[in-house]
PDB file of all heavy atoms in Angstrom:
ATOM      1  N   LEU I  13      -0.033  -6.123 -18.657  1.00  0.00           N
ATOM      2  CA  LEU I  13       1.371  -6.140 -18.659  1.00  0.00           C
ATOM      3  C   LEU I  13       1.736  -7.564 -18.257  1.00  0.00           C
ATOM      4  O   LEU I  13       1.279  -8.011 -17.081  1.00  0.00           O
ATOM      5  CB  LEU I  13       1.940  -5.141 -17.676  1.00  0.00           C
ATOM      6  CG  LEU I  13       3.323  -5.351 -17.185  1.00  0.00           C
ATOM      7  CD1 LEU I  13       4.339  -5.329 -18.382  1.00  0.00           C
ATOM      8  CD2 LEU I  13       3.719  -4.268 -16.227  1.00  0.00           C
ATOM      9  N   HIS I  19      14.694 -17.483 -14.052  1.00  0.00           N
ATOM     10  CA  HIS I  19      14.986 -18.157 -12.763  1.00  0.00           C
ATOM     11  C   HIS I  19      16.042 -17.423 -11.918  1.00  0.00           C
ATOM     12  O   HIS I  19      15.901 -17.386 -10.733  1.00  0.00           O
ATOM     13  CB  HIS I  19      15.535 -19.625 -13.023  1.00  0.00           C
ATOM     14  CG  HIS I  19      14.420 -20.473 -13.738  1.00  0.00           C
ATOM     15  ND1 HIS I  19      13.099 -20.724 -13.132  1.00  0.00           N
ATOM     16  CD2 HIS I  19      14.435 -21.004 -14.839  1.00  0.00           C
ATOM     17  CE1 HIS I  19      12.425 -21.381 -13.995  1.00  0.00           C
ATOM     18  NE2 HIS I  19      13.104 -21.703 -15.025  1.00  0.00           N
ATOM     19  N   GLU I  20      16.941 -16.805 -12.607  1.00  0.00           N
ATOM     20  CA  GLU I  20      17.935 -15.957 -11.830  1.00  0.00           C
ATOM     21  C   GLU I  20      17.813 -14.630 -12.473  1.00  0.00           C
ATOM     22  O   GLU I  20      17.689 -14.430 -13.742  1.00  0.00           O
ATOM     23  CB  GLU I  20      19.346 -16.491 -12.037  1.00  0.00           C
ATOM     24  CG  GLU I  20      19.658 -17.851 -11.270  1.00  0.00           C
ATOM     25  CD  GLU I  20      19.426 -17.622  -9.748  1.00  0.00           C
ATOM     26  OE1 GLU I  20      19.545 -16.564  -9.236  1.00  0.00           O
ATOM     27  OE2 GLU I  20      19.272 -18.669  -9.121  1.00  0.00           O
ATOM     28  N   PHE I  22      15.729 -14.251  -9.907  1.00  0.00           N
ATOM     29  CA  PHE I  22      14.527 -14.483  -9.004  1.00  0.00           C
ATOM     30  C   PHE I  22      14.835 -15.438  -7.937  1.00  0.00           C
ATOM     31  O   PHE I  22      14.560 -15.206  -6.737  1.00  0.00           O
ATOM     32  CB  PHE I  22      13.360 -14.887  -9.803  1.00  0.00           C
ATOM     33  CG  PHE I  22      12.001 -14.695  -9.264  1.00  0.00           C
ATOM     34  CD1 PHE I  22      11.333 -13.593  -9.567  1.00  0.00           C
ATOM     35  CD2 PHE I  22      11.489 -15.477  -8.246  1.00  0.00           C
ATOM     36  CE1 PHE I  22       9.940 -13.394  -9.047  1.00  0.00           C
ATOM     37  CE2 PHE I  22      10.326 -15.269  -7.664  1.00  0.00           C
ATOM     38  CZ  PHE I  22       9.465 -14.178  -8.063  1.00  0.00           C
ATOM     39  N   LEU I  25      16.885 -13.916  -5.175  1.00  0.00           N
ATOM     40  CA  LEU I  25      16.062 -13.004  -4.279  1.00  0.00           C
ATOM     41  C   LEU I  25      15.160 -13.781  -3.335  1.00  0.00           C
ATOM     42  O   LEU I  25      15.014 -13.209  -2.142  1.00  0.00           O
ATOM     43  CB  LEU I  25      15.276 -12.074  -5.278  1.00  0.00           C
ATOM     44  CG  LEU I  25      16.081 -11.042  -6.047  1.00  0.00           C
ATOM     45  CD1 LEU I  25      15.316 -10.418  -7.142  1.00  0.00           C
ATOM     46  CD2 LEU I  25      16.870 -10.110  -5.064  1.00  0.00           C
ATOM     47  N   ASN I  36       6.607  -6.050  -3.522  1.00  0.00           N
ATOM     48  CA  ASN I  36       5.613  -5.072  -2.936  1.00  0.00           C
ATOM     49  C   ASN I  36       5.945  -3.637  -3.364  1.00  0.00           C
ATOM     50  O   ASN I  36       4.952  -2.861  -3.595  1.00  0.00           O
ATOM     51  CB  ASN I  36       5.602  -5.202  -1.462  1.00  0.00           C
ATOM     52  CG  ASN I  36       4.894  -6.458  -0.888  1.00  0.00           C
ATOM     53  OD1 ASN I  36       4.121  -7.023  -1.523  1.00  0.00           O
ATOM     54  ND2 ASN I  36       5.273  -6.924   0.229  1.00  0.00           N
ATOM     55  N   LYS I  43       0.662   0.292  -9.126  1.00  0.00           N
ATOM     56  CA  LYS I  43      -0.709   0.253  -8.719  1.00  0.00           C
ATOM     57  C   LYS I  43      -1.622  -0.428  -9.791  1.00  0.00           C
ATOM     58  O   LYS I  43      -2.552   0.173 -10.327  1.00  0.00           O
ATOM     59  CB  LYS I  43      -1.218   1.629  -8.420  1.00  0.00           C
ATOM     60  CG  LYS I  43      -0.548   2.239  -7.331  1.00  0.00           C
ATOM     61  CD  LYS I  43      -1.041   3.740  -7.139  1.00  0.00           C
ATOM     62  CE  LYS I  43      -0.493   4.396  -6.050  1.00  0.00           C
ATOM     63  NZ  LYS I  43       0.905   4.390  -5.729  1.00  0.00           N
ATOM     64  N   PHE I  49      -0.347 -14.020 -10.443  1.00  0.00           N
ATOM     65  CA  PHE I  49       0.952 -14.707 -10.721  1.00  0.00           C
ATOM     66  C   PHE I  49       0.656 -16.127 -11.090  1.00  0.00           C
ATOM     67  O   PHE I  49      -0.288 -16.693 -10.730  1.00  0.00           O
ATOM     68  CB  PHE I  49       1.759 -14.751  -9.446  1.00  0.00           C
ATOM     69  CG  PHE I  49       2.192 -13.346  -8.943  1.00  0.00           C
ATOM     70  CD1 PHE I  49       1.436 -12.622  -8.035  1.00  0.00           C
ATOM     71  CD2 PHE I  49       3.265 -12.763  -9.475  1.00  0.00           C
ATOM     72  CE1 PHE I  49       1.836 -11.311  -7.699  1.00  0.00           C
ATOM     73  CE2 PHE I  49       3.664 -11.511  -9.185  1.00  0.00           C
ATOM     74  CZ  PHE I  49       2.956 -10.793  -8.276  1.00  0.00           C
ATOM     75  N   ILE I  59       0.839 -11.280 -14.339  1.00  0.00           N
ATOM     76  CA  ILE I  59      -0.148 -10.586 -15.297  1.00  0.00           C
ATOM     77  C   ILE I  59      -0.828  -9.438 -14.459  1.00  0.00           C
ATOM     78  O   ILE I  59      -1.419  -9.679 -13.427  1.00  0.00           O
ATOM     79  CB  ILE I  59      -1.125 -11.532 -15.828  1.00  0.00           C
ATOM     80  CG1 ILE I  59      -0.494 -12.668 -16.514  1.00  0.00           C
ATOM     81  CG2 ILE I  59      -2.131 -10.728 -16.750  1.00  0.00           C
ATOM     82  CD1 ILE I  59      -1.505 -13.760 -16.928  1.00  0.00           C
ATOM     83  N   GLU I  65      -2.482   6.289 -19.751  1.00  0.00           N
ATOM     84  CA  GLU I  65      -2.963   7.421 -20.511  1.00  0.00           C
ATOM     85  C   GLU I  65      -2.159   7.865 -21.616  1.00  0.00           C
ATOM     86  O   GLU I  65      -2.596   8.433 -22.592  1.00  0.00           O
ATOM     87  CB  GLU I  65      -3.253   8.481 -19.585  1.00  0.00           C
ATOM     88  CG  GLU I  65      -4.335   8.241 -18.453  1.00  0.00           C
ATOM     89  CD  GLU I  65      -4.528   9.447 -17.573  1.00  0.00           C
ATOM     90  OE1 GLU I  65      -4.270  10.629 -17.985  1.00  0.00           O
ATOM     91  OE2 GLU I  65      -5.050   9.198 -16.396  1.00  0.00           O
ATOM     92  N   GLY I  72       7.891   3.408 -17.018  1.00  0.00           N
ATOM     93  CA  GLY I  72       7.642   3.370 -15.614  1.00  0.00           C
ATOM     94  C   GLY I  72       7.060   2.123 -15.139  1.00  0.00           C
ATOM     95  O   GLY I  72       7.215   1.715 -13.969  1.00  0.00           O
ATOM     96  N   PHE I  77      10.707  -4.044 -13.397  1.00  0.00           N
ATOM     97  CA  PHE I  77      10.815  -5.506 -13.672  1.00  0.00           C
ATOM     98  C   PHE I  77      12.181  -5.843 -14.478  1.00  0.00           C
ATOM     99  O   PHE I  77      12.809  -6.851 -14.141  1.00  0.00           O
ATOM    100  CB  PHE I  77       9.737  -6.116 -14.503  1.00  0.00           C
ATOM    101  CG  PHE I  77       8.357  -5.975 -13.708  1.00  0.00           C
ATOM    102  CD1 PHE I  77       7.343  -5.047 -14.041  1.00  0.00           C
ATOM    103  CD2 PHE I  77       8.128  -6.852 -12.645  1.00  0.00           C
ATOM    104  CE1 PHE I  77       6.216  -5.044 -13.329  1.00  0.00           C
ATOM    105  CE2 PHE I  77       6.943  -6.753 -11.947  1.00  0.00           C
ATOM    106  CZ  PHE I  77       6.031  -5.841 -12.266  1.00  0.00           C
ATOM    107  N   CYS I  85       9.028  -8.138 -20.527  1.00  0.00           N
ATOM    108  CA  CYS I  85       7.719  -7.489 -20.453  1.00  0.00           C
ATOM    109  C   CYS I  85       6.949  -7.343 -21.720  1.00  0.00           C
ATOM    110  O   CYS I  85       7.607  -7.021 -22.710  1.00  0.00           O
ATOM    111  CB  CYS I  85       7.858  -6.093 -19.798  1.00  0.00           C
ATOM    112  SG  CYS I  85       8.476  -6.052 -18.094  1.00  0.00           S
ATOM    113  N   LYS I  86       5.655  -7.625 -21.728  1.00  0.00           N
ATOM    114  CA  LYS I  86       4.879  -7.540 -22.947  1.00  0.00           C
ATOM    115  C   LYS I  86       3.648  -6.727 -22.611  1.00  0.00           C
ATOM    116  O   LYS I  86       3.006  -7.013 -21.605  1.00  0.00           O
ATOM    117  CB  LYS I  86       4.507  -8.819 -23.488  1.00  0.00           C
ATOM    118  CG  LYS I  86       5.720  -9.725 -23.984  1.00  0.00           C
ATOM    119  CD  LYS I  86       5.140 -11.161 -24.401  1.00  0.00           C
ATOM    120  CE  LYS I  86       6.443 -12.007 -24.658  1.00  0.00           C
ATOM    121  NZ  LYS I  86       6.093 -13.315 -24.900  1.00  0.00           N
ATOM    122  N   MET I  91      -9.791  -4.666 -24.109  1.00  0.00           N
ATOM    123  CA  MET I  91     -11.111  -3.983 -24.084  1.00  0.00           C
ATOM    124  C   MET I  91     -12.008  -4.680 -23.125  1.00  0.00           C
ATOM    125  O   MET I  91     -11.921  -5.847 -22.989  1.00  0.00           O
ATOM    126  CB  MET I  91     -11.766  -3.999 -25.480  1.00  0.00           C
ATOM    127  CG  MET I  91     -10.988  -3.342 -26.598  1.00  0.00           C
ATOM    128  SD  MET I  91     -12.067  -3.265 -28.096  1.00  0.00           S
ATOM    129  CE  MET I  91     -11.967  -4.987 -28.645  1.00  0.00           C
ATOM    130  N   SER I  92     -12.863  -3.959 -22.597  1.00  0.00           N
ATOM    131  CA  SER I  92     -13.986  -4.480 -21.750  1.00  0.00           C
ATOM    132  C   SER I  92     -15.081  -4.875 -22.667  1.00  0.00           C
ATOM    133  O   SER I  92     -15.070  -4.578 -23.898  1.00  0.00           O
ATOM    134  CB  SER I  92     -14.459  -3.482 -20.759  1.00  0.00           C
ATOM    135  OG  SER I  92     -15.165  -2.424 -21.400  1.00  0.00           O
ATOM    136  N   GLN I  94     -17.965  -3.641 -22.634  1.00  0.00           N
ATOM    137  CA  GLN I  94     -18.558  -2.321 -23.124  1.00  0.00           C
ATOM    138  C   GLN I  94     -17.755  -1.738 -24.178  1.00  0.00           C
ATOM    139  O   GLN I  94     -18.340  -1.110 -25.183  1.00  0.00           O
ATOM    140  CB  GLN I  94     -18.769  -1.348 -21.880  1.00  0.00           C
ATOM    141  CG  GLN I  94     -19.464  -0.119 -22.216  1.00  0.00           C
ATOM    142  CD  GLN I  94     -20.896  -0.418 -22.645  1.00  0.00           C
ATOM    143  OE1 GLN I  94     -21.673  -1.090 -21.962  1.00  0.00           O
ATOM    144  NE2 GLN I  94     -21.343   0.164 -23.747  1.00  0.00           N
ATOM    145  N   SER I  99     -17.477  -0.258 -30.044  1.00  0.00           N
ATOM    146  CA  SER I  99     -16.388  -0.299 -31.175  1.00  0.00           C
ATOM    147  C   SER I  99     -17.042  -0.123 -32.556  1.00  0.00           C
ATOM    148  O   SER I  99     -16.297   0.149 -33.587  1.00  0.00           O
ATOM    149  CB  SER I  99     -15.600  -1.545 -31.081  1.00  0.00           C
ATOM    150  OG  SER I  99     -16.334  -2.689 -31.581  1.00  0.00           O
ATOM    151  N   GLU I 103     -20.982  -1.662 -38.084  1.00  0.00           N
ATOM    152  CA  GLU I 103     -20.653  -0.728 -39.186  1.00  0.00           C
ATOM    153  C   GLU I 103     -19.417  -1.146 -39.947  1.00  0.00           C
ATOM    154  O   GLU I 103     -19.320  -1.068 -41.148  1.00  0.00           O
ATOM    155  CB  GLU I 103     -20.536   0.653 -38.636  1.00  0.00           C
ATOM    156  CG  GLU I 103     -21.824   1.355 -38.189  1.00  0.00           C
ATOM    157  CD  GLU I 103     -22.209   0.860 -36.769  1.00  0.00           C
ATOM    158  OE1 GLU I 103     -21.356   0.379 -36.024  1.00  0.00           O
ATOM    159  OE2 GLU I 103     -23.492   0.942 -36.502  1.00  0.00           O
TER     160      GLU I 103
END
Side-chain angles (χ1 to χ4, degrees):
L13 167 55
H19 298 301
E20 290 299 337
F22 202 99
L25 293 168
N36 286 336
K43 296 178 177 46
F49 293 97
I59 301 170
E65 293 182 22
F77 294 108
C85 295
K86 298 175 185 173
M91 292 188 292
S92 68
Q94 186 62 52
S99 69
E103 290 80 21

